[in-house]
Amino acid sequence: MSFPVDVVVMAAGKGTRMKSQRPKVLHRLGGRALAQHVIDCAARLSARRVVVITGHGAEQVEAGLAAPAATALSFVRQEPQLGTGHAVQQAVPVLQDDGVTLVLSGDVPLTQAATLQALLDVCAGQHLALLTLDMPDPTGYGRIVRGDGGEVCAIVEHKDASEAQRAIREIYSGIMAVPTRLLRAWLARLDNRNAQGEYYLTDVVKFAVADGLAVHAHRITDAVQVAGVNSPAQLAELERAYQRRRADELLVQGVRLADPARFDVRGELVCGQDVEIDVNCVFEGSVQLGDGVRVGAHCVIANAVIEAGAVIHPFTHIEGEKAGVKVGAGALIGPFARLRPGADLGPEVHIGNFVEVKNSTLAAGAKANHLAYLGDAIVGERVNYGAGSITANYDGANKHRTVIEADVHVGSNCVLVAPVTIGAGGTVGAGSTITKDTAPGALSVARGKQVSIANWQRPVKQKKA
Ligand code: UD1
Ligand code: CA
């Protein structure tokens, strides 16, 4: 059975309880806007089109959401916001009668594509299908009212419900699948004579029953999948649920997380075999960890490729942004290292504590172990870059390159003023400020010569008169 699916995402509401300037559906969960989760999930169903209903902060919301590959994403404004039925009415003109409309909410981020597919299967292109769930505390939700034979008769909103109806624990999740031609006709019949004076989408159930059509409920048990975000507390709770799921997926793959409750992925994390991740690490953007990589506690790693066997010691910050960071096989990084965009480290490179590397290539076996800065540099194989040494890469207007050829030894506390090249195998004496290129194999010392005066008497403190 196959029919076209058009998705409508309701995202016009205000989200007052977030107490934020930012529209609710743009608040982030796992590093992605709430409504983006919903759109990305719709894309996995191969929806023909995804229509997002915007209202509050419409311009921001429209600018803040992106179409996944091969998905036609469009926006329709709802102004003013007169209820969920009124919201879907705004989308109806762009929907086609040959398909099924799947209605989702922009503030319900963790529904799984498989659950929505199951709902679409229940709809089968011809029935009204509702996603429902039993809740221990159904306060605030629309209740599923069933007849004697268990058939669904209506959804009654909490504020409109009788005491008896409020005792019903089966609630409407806010998600339905409905043949578009039926939806179109039913929405035209909506009114707002109810406790909230709103046009309720949920009234379509009433119309279906009146028209003699069966209403099917697809009842699930996983509350996280239909949980909405209305407050910072709920956002934080769903964030943990989301992270726990990501952690469990990695554990199943064999990744050894020291504590799945102290672990955050805000993007894509791809791990090889025998990867170990200690507590309180954060992964952002796109991160790949090769076989046998170990990440120490309290590391933040964003947009980076860490090759097999590399060890990232605790408190290391890696941020690749657009240029990316690459850490070669068997490299040792940190503790307390900082790798910035364009850091490209070869195999067995060592970057130690309080060393910053930006837009620099380090060839195999190069080492910068303590308190150093390498910016806009090309560093050859086996170079040893001393403690406290820096590349002076910026003249106040432009950035310049430093080239340190293979097997160079740079002593401690040197300044290499770019543009400058240190020839292969050369040595730079500690404390030197190098402004001119040096020849291969040369020792270069550029500092005041040491003067020692024998038996030097230090001044003594004068006595007060
Ligand atoms: C809705 C359902 C309720 C269900 C609950 C599940 C209705 C009438 N009620 O109630 O049965 O149990 O969801 O969470 O549908 N929105 C608009 N425009 C509007 C109003 C709302 O776009 O005019 C959007 C909101 O931004 C939100 C979604 O629709 O994303 C749901 O709206 P909300 O006000 O949260 O509906 P509930 O009252 O919770
Ligand atoms: Ca709600």
Side-chain angles (χ1 to χ4, degrees):
M1 151 196 54
S2 146
F3 44 85
V5 176
D6 296 318
V7 174
V8 172
V9 181
M10 297 185 293
K14 192 164 184 189
T16 315
R17 282 199 281 151
M18 291 303 291
K19 298 186 179 159
S20 170
Q21 296 283 346
R22 192 189 297 178
K24 178 165 78 173
V25 295
L26 291 186
H27 281 272
R28 284 170 183 276
L29 184 141
R32 243 186 315 159
L34 293 173
Q36 192 68 52
H37 283 265
V38 179
I39 292 167
D40 292 349
C41 181
R44 260 172 261 135
L45 297 166
S46 335
R48 177 168 57 184
R49 61 159 58 77
V50 178
V51 183
V52 180
I53 315 288
T54 59
H56 278 282
E59 275 174 28
Q60 244 179 303
V61 172
E62 290 163 16
L65 298 175
T71 302
L73 177 68
S74 60
F75 298 94
V76 170
R77 299 246 176 126
Q78 183 200 17
E79 206 61 72
Q81 292 82 38
L82 303 179
T84 52
H86 180 252
V88 178
Q89 271 171 352
Q90 312 311 305
V92 156
V94 303
L95 302 176
Q96 285 162 263
D97 274 347
D98 63 338
V100 161
T101 298
L102 177 64
V103 179
L104 305 175
S105 285
D107 59 356
V108 178
L110 297 187
T111 321
Q112 284 164 19
T115 301
L116 297 178
Q117 189 55 57
L119 183 71
L120 288 166
D121 292 346
V122 169
C123 163
Q126 44 186 329
H127 308 293
L128 171 57
L130 310 173
L131 189 65
T132 75
L133 175 102
D134 285 353
M135 276 201 164
D137 176 12
T139 307
Y141 288 92
R143 306 300 206 281
I144 303 294
V145 179
R146 290 178 182 262
D148 296 336
E151 75 284 5
V152 176
C153 309
I155 299 174
V156 178
E157 291 305 301
H158 182 87
K159 287 185 176 144
D160 299 288
S162 65
E163 277 310 306
Q165 288 167 334
R166 285 186 181 182
I168 297 171
R169 297 216 290 201
E170 186 183 6
I171 62 100
Y172 169 56
S173 65
I175 295 173
M176 67 168 67
V178 49
T180 304
R181 68 190 163 79
L182 297 176
L183 176 68
R184 192 186 305 279
W186 291 333
L187 288 178
R189 287 155 69 179
L190 286 186
D191 63 58
N192 64 352
R193 293 192 298 272
N194 53 53
Q196 301 183 82
E198 289 182 5
Y199 294 89
Y200 290 164
L201 176 62
T202 44
D203 279 351
V204 299
V205 174
K206 207 167 60 184
F207 300 137
V209 171
D211 290 354
L213 294 171
V215 179
H216 296 261
H218 177 57
R219 204 167 179 167
I220 62 167
T221 53
D222 182 7
V224 165
Q225 289 199 46
V226 298
V229 172
N230 298 300
S231 65
Q234 286 172 341
L235 180 60
E237 201 177 308
L238 276 198
E239 177 77 31
R240 284 335 307 161
Y242 171 80
Q243 294 299 348
R244 182 65 212 213
R245 279 169 196 215
R246 301 294 303 262
D248 287 342
E249 283 163 21
L250 291 166
L251 289 168
V252 166
Q253 285 168 32
V255 176
R256 294 193 289 281
L257 299 177
D259 182 355
R262 285 180 291 169
F263 166 78
D264 289 82
V265 183
R266 301 171 189 155
E268 282 313 309
L269 174 62
V270 177
C271 294
Q273 200 172 27
D274 284 310
V275 167
E276 291 182 20
I277 300 173
D278 209 334
V279 298
N280 291 334
C281 292
V282 178
F283 298 90
E284 296 177 338
S286 163
V287 176
Q288 288 176 42
L289 304 180
D291 292 347
V293 165
R294 286 190 285 137
V295 180
H298 306 283
C299 290
V300 176
I301 303 182
N303 300 304
V305 175
I306 315 294
E307 293 185 338
V311 179
I312 314 295
H313 289 293
F315 295 100
T316 290
H317 186 209
I318 299 178
E319 168 52 283
E321 289 174 22
K322 286 203 175 71
V325 164
K326 197 199 87 183
V327 173
L332 303 179
I333 311 296
F336 300 102
R338 180 167 184 221
L339 303 182
R340 294 172 51 203
D344 183 346
L345 315 184
E348 311 290 334
V349 162
H350 293 186
I351 299 294
N353 39 218
F354 308 107
V355 174
E356 174 183 351
V357 182
K358 185 217 76 169
N359 189 34
S360 294
T361 303
L362 278 72
K367 294 182 175 63
N369 271 324
H370 328 268
L371 301 158
Y373 174 59
L374 281 162
D376 304 306
I378 298 170
V379 179
E381 294 179 357
R382 296 171 300 277
V383 163
N384 196 308
Y385 192 73
S389 290
I390 66 160
T391 54
N393 56 323
Y394 184 53
D395 61 13
N398 297 297
K399 305 265 172 72
H400 301 283
R401 279 236 161 260
T402 301
V403 179
I404 307 172
E405 293 179 350
D407 298 302
V408 162
H409 182 98
V410 177
S412 296
N413 220 32
C414 293
V415 181
L416 308 181
V417 182
V420 72
T421 296
I422 312 297
T427 302
V428 179
S432 294
T433 296
I434 301 294
T435 56
K436 293 194 285 270
D437 291 356
T438 69
L443 166 66
S444 305
V445 184
R447 64 176 184 236
K449 265 204 165 24
Q450 179 169 330
V451 177
S452 294
I453 298 174
N455 302 318
W456 175 252
Q457 293 297 316
R458 289 199 293 266
V460 285
K461 198 170 175 98
Q462 287 176 3
K463 290 205 172 69
K464 285 210 178 97

